[in-house]
Amino acid sequence: MPVREVSEIGMKVYEVKVVDVKELVEDIIQKDPQASIFVKCDTEGAEFFILPRLLEAKGAGQYVKEVFVEWHERFWADKPDYQEILDQKAKIKKQCQEAGIILHDWQ
């Protein structure tokens, strides 16, 4: 895995391969029309990008049964846009509920 150091802040940055969750879910559905999909989302804050994309997948509400999400609130609880983030979280939870997807808060 390629790594580089950002010396001014003393962090290591790792390059990782990512997949498009929408394409992944649609591929699973296409290959197995009887699929039941369960998702564990522990993505260090990227859940606000991943879950809306998941909901865009054709058939997501029919095939994605449950999603377990670690929201990482400890990282954004003291941010000035905290309420906006909470609103976005509530919107995602509502969209999952409307699609028939059970969403669990994972600790």
Side-chain angles (χ1 to χ4, degrees):
M1 176 182 311
V3 63
R4 63 184 170 86
E5 187 164 331
V6 182
S7 58
E8 61 270 9
I9 57 174
M11 288 182 94
K12 290 183 179 179
V13 177
Y14 296 88
E15 293 181 25
V16 296
K17 181 180 176 185
V18 298
V19 296
D20 182 334
V21 70
K22 175 183 180 282
E23 291 177 12
L24 176 64
V25 167
E26 290 174 349
D27 187 49
I28 291 169
I29 294 167
Q30 181 182 9
K31 290 178 180 172
D32 182 3
Q34 301 302 314
S36 291
I37 301 170
F38 296 82
V39 176
K40 171 70 168 78
C41 187
D42 183 358
T43 55
E44 307 305 316
E47 53 273 6
F48 291 98
F49 301 99
I50 293 169
L51 294 174
R53 184 70 177 154
L54 170 74
L55 290 165
E56 292 176 12
K58 184 176 181 181
Q62 179 181 352
Y63 293 94
V64 178
K65 305 301 181 189
E66 296 183 51
V67 177
F68 299 81
V69 183
E70 185 170 348
W71 293 99
H72 298 93
E73 283 193 44
R74 66 187 178 279
F75 295 127
W76 38 271
D78 61 346
K79 293 194 177 206
D81 58 347
Y82 178 66
Q83 187 57 53
E84 184 179 322
I85 296 168
L86 285 178
D87 293 345
Q88 186 177 4
K89 176 182 170 184
K91 179 180 176 184
I92 291 168
K93 291 177 93 169
K94 183 178 183 216
Q95 290 172 327
C96 285
Q97 181 182 24
E98 289 171 349
I101 299 169
I102 299 169
L103 191 137
H104 304 275
D105 289 341
W106 187 265
Q107 301 296 329

